[in-house]
């Protein structure tokens, strides 16, 4: 039997029992659609993780969190700046952070206040959209100037009917101290550590004086050569190990590249497990096709007997039923691909994220659905091919 002849007979058989065909292909259709939707969700999740991690800083940045243990609980600004002597470190930006109360007119908000140095802009890649940055003289003279995030500007000024974009030059109070806003920060969105737009930056010396703190809680670093990141992390940890007298729990060095790898690894593991569930759905769909094909063989026993008595060989009968099973599963796979695209688009709209369906996944899902037809269609096809003409013609 030729392939075209087998396809014509299979299509004719499929179209003659539309409802049965639709019901038998449902499992494959849902399985393929689930695979595509899950892969699209996984890609969207990976992209979101990459976006969140990248918002913490550039890929060549490091962050040191001082947790404090034993007799030495903090680092001074000078000690933090000594990390700039470590090989491959191109910039150091120590930060002291606390929560304060900012007030403008009658509006008061609770906000994160960070004490920074002039290096913060370059190390954190956090420029201003209006005004200027905190400069070295501000640090030396303990001036009361501030940079304000866009969301904090809205919280403070909108209720006072002041345009937040015109924040530069306005005077606010932070914990009762008068500050002049000298810069409006660019919007950086949210990251794993929270909103980057709901904060106020002031000179680190001023922050230490107002909040009566002496140490720094976070040290941001930037490296020159990202290929030497691992060696740089080791060198930084060695310096901190000496500072805290061998207490490794007193600090944490956060490597953005490693964080990205870890988060992506977790994400891929979860996606892989979900796809296994979808593959089980495809197998269940294949079992459904096998059952329908077995019923079809029983119903068409006399037809098989007539074809065999007219000269059809065993391989012709097997080929006919195999092609029919592959047609059903392949059609289910094709419709499942369309449904999967619709589902991924809908999920992207609901989650407000950009989903992505890789083309190789689409081909893989379609080929797998056709393969399911071959595997689960073999038993009914073999049963039909094994019928003897005499027994088949006697069948009522």
């Amino acid at each position: 039997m030729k392939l075209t002849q087998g396809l014509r007979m299979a299509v004719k058989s499929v179209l003659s029992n539309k409802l049965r065909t639709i019901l038998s292909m449902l499992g494959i259709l849902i399985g393929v659609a689930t695979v595509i939707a899950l892969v699209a969700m996984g890609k969207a999740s990976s992209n979101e993780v990459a976006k969140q991690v990248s918002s913490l800083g550039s890929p060549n940045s490091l962050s040191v969190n001082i947790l404090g243990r034993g007799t030495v609980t903090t680092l001074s600004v000078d000690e933090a700046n000594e990390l700039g002597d470590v090989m491959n470190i191109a910039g150091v930006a120590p930060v002291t952070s606390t929560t304060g109360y900012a007030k403008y007119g009658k509006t008061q908000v609770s906000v994160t206040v960070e004490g920074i140095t002039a290096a913060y802009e370059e190390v954190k890649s956090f420029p201003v959209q209006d005004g200027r940055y905190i400069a070295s003289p501000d640090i030396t003279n303990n001036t009361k100037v501030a940079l304000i995030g866009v969301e904090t500007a809205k919280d403070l000024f909108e209720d006072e009917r002041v345009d937040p974009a015109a924040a530069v030059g306005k005077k606010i109070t932070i914990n009762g101290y008068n500050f002049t806003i000298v810069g409006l920060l660019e919007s950086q969105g949210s990251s794993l550590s929270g909103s980057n737009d709901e904060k106020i930056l002031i000179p680190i010396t001023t922050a230490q004086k107002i909040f009566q703190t002496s140490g720094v809680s976070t040290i941001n670093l930037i490296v020159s050569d990202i290929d030497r990141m691992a060696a740089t992390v080791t060198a930084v940890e060695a310096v901190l190990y000496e500072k805290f007298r061998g207490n490794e729990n007193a600090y944490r060095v956060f490597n953005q590249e490693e964080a990205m790898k870890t988060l992506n690894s977790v994400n891929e593991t979860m996606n892989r497990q979900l796809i296994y569930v979808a593959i089980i759905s495809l197998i269940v769909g294949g079992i459904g096709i096998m059952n329908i094909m077995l019923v079809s063989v029983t119903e068409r026993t006399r037809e098989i007997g007539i074809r065999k008595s007219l000269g059809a060989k065993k391989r012709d009968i097997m080929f006919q039923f195999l092609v029919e099973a592959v047609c059903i599963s392949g059609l289910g796979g094709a419709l499942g691909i369309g449904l999967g695209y619709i589902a991924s688009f809908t999920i992207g709209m609901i989650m407000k994220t950009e989903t992505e369906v890789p083309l190789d996944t689409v081909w893989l899902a379609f080929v797998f659905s056709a393969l399911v037809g071959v595997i689960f269609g073999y038993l009914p096809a073999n049963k039909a091919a094994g019928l003897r003409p005499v027994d088949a013609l006697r069948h009522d």
Side-chain angles (χ1 to χ4, degrees), residues 196-213:
N196 292 307
D197 299 330
E198 296 178 358
K199 63 170 64 176
I200 292 177
L201 308 181
I202 63 177
I204 192 167
T205 50
T206 307
Q208 290 176 334
K209 184 177 180 180
I210 291 177
F211 298 108
Q212 297 182 347
T213 59

Side-chain angles (χ1 to χ4, degrees), residues 227-302:
D227 293 332
R228 300 165 62 195
M229 178 68 83
T232 306
V233 170
T234 303
V236 169
E237 288 177 336
V239 173
L240 294 171
Y241 187 82
E242 290 295 325
K243 293 282 185 189
F244 289 96
R245 301 177 183 178
N247 191 334
E248 296 178 345
N249 295 321
Y251 55 86
R252 291 285 184 275
V253 179
F254 181 80
N255 182 346
Q256 183 173 323
E257 188 178 8
E258 289 298 322
M260 175 79 83
K261 288 180 181 177
T262 302
L263 290 172
N264 278 335
S265 175
V266 173
N267 200 33
E268 287 174 4
T269 301
M270 292 180 63
N271 290 337
R272 199 179 301 121
Q273 291 174 346
L274 290 172
I275 288 176
Y276 289 156
V277 174
I279 290 174
I280 292 173
S281 175
L282 283 173
I283 293 173
V284 172
I287 294 172
I289 289 177
M290 183 173 66
N291 289 335
I292 294 295
M293 291 301 298
L294 285 171
V295 172
S296 178
V297 169
T298 302
E299 290 178 349
R300 294 158 64 186
T301 300
R302 285 184 63 81

Side-chain angles (χ1 to χ4, degrees), residues 71-225:
T71 57
V72 183
T73 57
T74 60
L75 289 181
S76 67
V77 176
D78 290 338
E79 287 176 321
N81 284 328
E82 287 176 8
L83 292 176
D85 298 331
V86 175
M87 63 92 183
N88 201 32
I89 295 295
V92 182
V95 175
T96 180
S97 178
T98 189
T99 300
Y101 292 94
K103 186 176 182 182
Y104 179 80
K106 296 180 180 178
T107 303
Q108 177 172 290
V109 296
S110 174
V111 63
T112 299
V113 181
E114 292 184 351
I116 65 167
T117 63
Y120 187 92
E121 179 182 12
E122 181 183 354
V123 174
K124 291 285 288 181
S125 299
F126 203 163
V128 293
Q129 59 173 290
D130 189 21
R132 68 170 178 88
Y133 229 82
I134 288 173
S136 295
D138 297 320
I139 309 294
T140 306
N141 300 321
N142 296 343
T143 57
K144 293 186 176 61
V145 294
L147 301 167
I148 189 168
V150 289
E151 290 299 325
T152 301
K154 288 180 182 176
D155 294 340
L156 275 178
F157 299 129
E158 280 189 339
D159 288 345
E160 300 296 328
R161 297 184 179 179
V162 174
D163 183 6
V168 175
K170 297 288 186 298
K171 294 188 181 299
I172 62 173
T173 63
I174 300 175
N175 281 20
Y177 293 89
N178 292 320
F179 277 79
T180 301
I181 297 176
V182 295
L184 178 64
L185 296 165
E186 280 194 355
S187 177
Q188 297 283 323
S190 297
S191 68
L192 296 175
S193 59
S195 174
N196 292 307
D197 299 330
E198 296 178 358
K199 63 170 64 176
I200 292 177
L201 308 181
I202 63 177
I204 192 167
T205 50
T206 307
Q208 290 176 334
K209 184 177 180 180
I210 291 177
F211 298 108
Q212 297 182 347
T213 59
S214 57
V216 295
S217 53
T218 304
I219 306 167
N220 299 290
L221 306 171
I222 191 166
V223 302
S224 301
D225 185 359

Side-chain angles (χ1 to χ4, degrees), residues 48-57 192 254 256 259-260 263:
E48 190 65 24
V49 167
K51 184 179 175 184
Q52 291 283 329
V53 174
S54 64
S55 64
L56 294 174
L192 296 175
F254 181 80
Q256 183 173 323
M260 175 79 83
L263 290 172

